[in-house]
Amino acid sequence: MQGPAFVKIDGVSLVYQMAKEETLAVQDLSLDIEEGEFVAVVGPSGCGKSTLMKLVTGLLDTTAGMITIGGRPVQGPVQGVGMAFQNSTLLPWRSTLENVMLPLEIVEPHKRRLRREKKAYIDRAMALLETVGLSEFADKFPWQLSGGMQQRANLCRAIIHEPRLLMLDEPFGALDAFTREELWGVMQALWMKKRFTAILITHDLREAVYLADKVFVMSKRPGKVILSRHVDIPRPRTLDTTFEPHFGAIVHELRDHIHDVRSS
Ligand code: ADP
Ligand code: MG
């Protein structure tokens, strides 16, 4: 028997109010995510994926329905959730290491320990940078790094404080195809090591199948979940995996659903 879901999205709707206009972005959306699970949410552009991300992190209040994380209702911005977006948001005046350590200056209990345990925290950040192949760039500034390197550093920063939940909104969307595929491996390695719960929002079906244990397909706006597909492919997955028939079959299955959604 499974316990209650770690992240529970229950009958959630969101209406944007702009002057006289109302936009129903998501409607009666429900999904359950277990602790330690890596899920992906895919759907056509404008279907409400980023809205969902803002609802789960408490940046937006639901119009109807409820979201709980670890059994606690989300009311206002959730402290300590790791987040990464399409454009890396590194601070230009901080080195890579200083950028990665930023959450430690903000999120408890690290904030209060940071001064006393600075050395241990620097070691932790350096170990993380090592995992993503950036140890030699710790002292460099963001503008001295390539786009892919910046996004690696961005991922490190999103998980340095060991959040129980990591939210990723198209984090690789702005990168070229080669760099993006390279970062799938980096992301998977981080997750296999730390086993945080991750919600990846993406319109790239191959990315979803490479990274996720389960893929949720959303309908066009107003978005709701129309399919939940378990990805029964062993880890670690590699780029070779993406050329295997079973991988291709799952991608095609998802693509068929998205086509149905778009043409309906
Ligand atoms: P996605 O991330 O799937 O592309 P979004 O969640 O960003 O979609 O947007 C869902 C829908 O809500 C879109 O039609 C978008 O135009 C609309 N929308 C998003 N943000 C706002 C806002 N702040 N005010 C009004 N409408 C919005
Ligand atoms: Mg979006």
Side-chain angles (χ1 to χ4, degrees), residues 46 49-51 169-170 201:
K49 300 184 297 297
S50 293
T51 301
D169 191 354
E170 311 210 14
I201 285 163

Side-chain angles (χ1 to χ4, degrees), residues 16 18 23 25 44-51 221:
Y16 285 111
M18 296 240 303
T23 307
S45 179
C47 75
K49 300 184 297 297
S50 293
T51 301
R221 187 168 67 82

